[in-house]
Amino acid sequence: MNREHRIWQWITHIIMVLASIGCLFPFVLLIVSSFTSEHEIIREGYSFWPKSFSLEAYSYLGGKLNEITRAYGVTALITIIGTIVGVAITAMLAYPLSRQDMPYRNLVAFLIFFTLLFNGGLVPTYLIYTQAFEIKNTIWALVVPGLLTNGFNVMLVRSYFASSVPTPVIESASIDGAGEIRTFFSIVIPLSTPILATIGLFQLVLYWNDWFNGMIYITDSKLYSLQNMLNRILTDIQFLASGSLGSNVRTGPMPSETVRMAIAVIGVVPLLIAYPFFQRFFVKGLIVGAVKG
Amino acid sequence: MSHSIADTSQDSVRRRGGRKFKRYGLLALMMLPGLVYFLINNYFPMFGLVVAFKDVNFSKGFLAGDWVGLKNFEYLFKTSDAYVITRNTILYNGSFIVINTVAAIAAAILLNEIKNKLFMRFYQSVVLIPYLISTIIISYLVFAMLSTETGFVNRTILPLFHLDEISWYNEAKYWPVILTVVNLWKSVGFLCVIYLASIIGIDPEYYEAATIDGASKLRQIRSITLPLLVPMITVMTLLAIGRIFYSDFGLFYQVPMNSGALYDTTNVIDTYVYRGLIQLGDVGMSSAAGLYQSMVGLVLVLLSNFIVRKVSRENSLF
């Protein structure tokens, strides 16, 4: 290794370490603050190097376990349903479109594609979902509007089917007497697990993180997802104490500044723990999505 | 029923048609859920855009209001709102495009220089974390920094420089900077991954030849990496320009915690439409603003795609 090379290695590592710290330090502040005593936070503010260590925020939240579990349950439910149904609908729509012999395939593909160029926007969407379908304050409001995030996924899966599932394979299956449904499930799907897993992962993250649908369609706090609960608590910390989530547990005065941080920690840490396990697929998916776009 | 000579051939056509129907009927059935979904979720709202030309009256049913022509648009463009939200939307998204692209390319070039691939993947994963988390969590992180009474900036950083504390959530003038920084923090990782993939795809022989010719690293970046990245940069930038009328709603609504004092520098078309609809119940005005966004958005997407086609056909949307 020559000298220039070594200097470059040093510079790049230093800059990337700084960038990594830049990306992570807000999380550290959040986590450290949640373990600080309320008294110190009020006196000194949120800090990276607190003098005290305290679990009071978490013990307070322990009394709100029902509400937190409920919100987690709503999030888990909509994430599971939304991801499975979303991927299933996408694959079922994309497969016929990938078949060269499907009548009207170009017309249908165009109609799906057009939704990427033009959309009605929030107002008509909201009016139709609330007035014509009355999904306000139902669990459907959290699931339905995000099912096929956009036509883009359909196009992505369609081109994957078209290039990775050879037509002769489908034809020979048909000659051997396999029906369309059987061909789809026992040949097309197994050959396409990478792309389905990729869009599934993105769908999953989307549902897990979604707060928008809950914010516009849900006013009943029993149906709050985790993100909606966090959203509400950020602007109205008393919301947790008010018992409007249906709790009768007496918990005493709330250490509000640390509780705010602790509830955010409870909301984000599971995702951060899971991230190392799926980051490879996440990165791959981003590249597939952007490059093929 | 009359019989003719053509009967048999007609029959076979019908039978073939029947077989075709049977064959493709199942496939069509498979498509049904997705198509119904697009109909409800995308096409109904497109036709629902007519509410922008109506005086919506919920007691009559939301599509039954009287036609008012362009009244809603007149109201919208008579106020200064239309100007402010258009200005904010374009200025913010415009600077995001420039700043994020420059930062992402710099980070991608640096990452590519790192010889230890384990480290490279580690850094890449870390800078992507902000892109993974929800805007609500980001709002909490920003709050921990900027809260007036307990925030890290007011209580730790400003005292270091003997500066007075600032009521961040009440001072509109700071938010262009805050939102730009938060947006950079959130999305630079994503763009970096895209550009890094592009750089990795460059043929290593170029660099080997340049090294033999004695070109320095900086020279190689300037004369090989950047020129070969130009098509990708053009495409990504044009696609972003095509979406310049649409903003990241959460960034402009959640991160400033919907603080009214900040509207002058945080209100964009998306937040304006939302507040009009949900908080003010002014369907006419917000649907007019929404239609304005949809139409200009369509023109911009078509225009930018037209240019992408000229630059690099395989990257165009159509």
Side-chain angles (χ1 to χ4, degrees), chain A residues 43 46 111 129 209 227 230, chain B residues 41 43 132 134 140 150 155:
Chain A
R43 220 179 41 228
Y46 298 124
L111 287 175
Y129 273 132
N209 282 339
Q227 302 293 338
L230 289 173
Chain B
N41 192 63
Y43 279 90
L132 176 77
S134 82
Y140 272 91
T150 52
R155 299 304 294 270

Side-chain angles (χ1 to χ4, degrees), chain A residues 17-277:
Chain A
V17 166
L18 290 177
S20 303
I21 293 173
C23 287
L24 293 178
F25 83 90
F27 295 100
V28 177
L29 182 64
L30 188 80
I31 294 168
V32 170
S33 301
S34 73
F35 287 105
T36 311
S37 77
E38 179 77 6
H39 186 67
E40 182 179 344
I41 298 265
I42 287 171
R43 220 179 41 228
E44 313 272 336
Y46 298 124
S47 154
F48 286 96
W49 38 86
K51 297 181 200 75
S52 60
F53 175 86
S54 158
L55 287 172
E56 60 182 327
Y58 290 95
S59 74
Y60 180 84
L61 287 177
K64 299 286 176 186
L65 209 57
N66 277 341
E67 290 86 337
I68 296 169
T69 321
R70 186 182 182 95
Y72 252 109
V74 170
T75 292
L77 183 71
I78 60 168
T79 304
I80 292 169
I81 298 179
T83 306
I84 292 175
V85 177
V87 172
I89 293 181
T90 305
M92 280 160 59
L93 184 53
Y95 173 61
L97 293 178
S98 76
R99 289 270 298 261
Q100 297 290 336
D101 52 341
M102 183 73 196
Y104 303 112
R105 62 195 281 263
N106 288 327
L107 174 70
V108 176
F110 175 78
L111 287 175
I112 294 168
F113 174 71
F114 186 70
T115 62
L116 292 177
L117 303 180
F118 187 73
N119 65 71
L122 176 66
V123 181
T125 309
Y126 176 82
L127 291 180
I128 281 164
Y129 273 132
T130 54
Q131 305 290 313
F133 293 98
E134 307 195 345
I135 62 170
K136 210 162 180 174
N137 281 325
T138 66
I139 192 85
W140 301 113
L142 297 173
V143 177
V144 176
L147 268 184
L148 299 175
T149 36
N150 54 45
F152 186 72
N153 280 353
V154 180
M155 312 309 258
L156 209 63
V157 176
R158 180 187 72 151
S159 52
Y160 192 94
F161 284 161
S163 63
S164 318
V165 186
T167 313
V169 173
I170 294 175
E171 276 166 2
S172 67
S174 161
I175 291 165
D176 290 348
E180 293 294 354
I181 302 293
R182 173 113 187 256
T183 311
F184 179 66
F185 281 107
S186 54
I187 294 173
V188 179
I189 295 289
L191 281 174
S192 311
T193 35
I195 191 76
L196 296 177
T198 303
I199 64 164
L201 172 63
F202 278 78
Q203 193 89 333
L204 191 145
V205 172
L206 226 93
Y207 272 100
W208 184 270
N209 282 339
D210 181 63
W211 47 270
F212 188 71
N213 289 322
M215 191 169 88
I216 59 176
Y217 296 119
I218 305 287
T219 49
D220 175 2
S221 55
K222 287 202 170 56
L223 282 171
Y224 274 180
S225 70
L226 181 67
Q227 302 293 338
N228 295 129
M229 190 175 81
L230 289 173
N231 186 10
R232 182 71 187 269
I233 291 169
L234 178 63
T235 45
D236 175 17
I237 184 68
Q238 294 310 321
F239 169 72
L240 200 57
S242 67
S244 46
L245 281 166
S247 158
N248 296 316
V249 184
R250 287 193 161 270
T251 37
M254 171 168 55
S256 58
E257 300 302 331
T258 47
V259 159
R260 217 197 285 262
M261 296 297 122
I263 190 95
V265 169
I266 290 175
V268 74
V269 160
L271 193 62
L272 293 182
I273 290 174
Y275 179 59
F277 299 101

Side-chain angles (χ1 to χ4, degrees), chain B residues 56-71:
Chain B
V56 174
N57 184 337
F58 285 109
S59 63
K60 287 193 211 160
F62 69 105
L63 282 174
D66 298 325
W67 292 98
V68 293
L70 295 174
K71 269 261 165 49

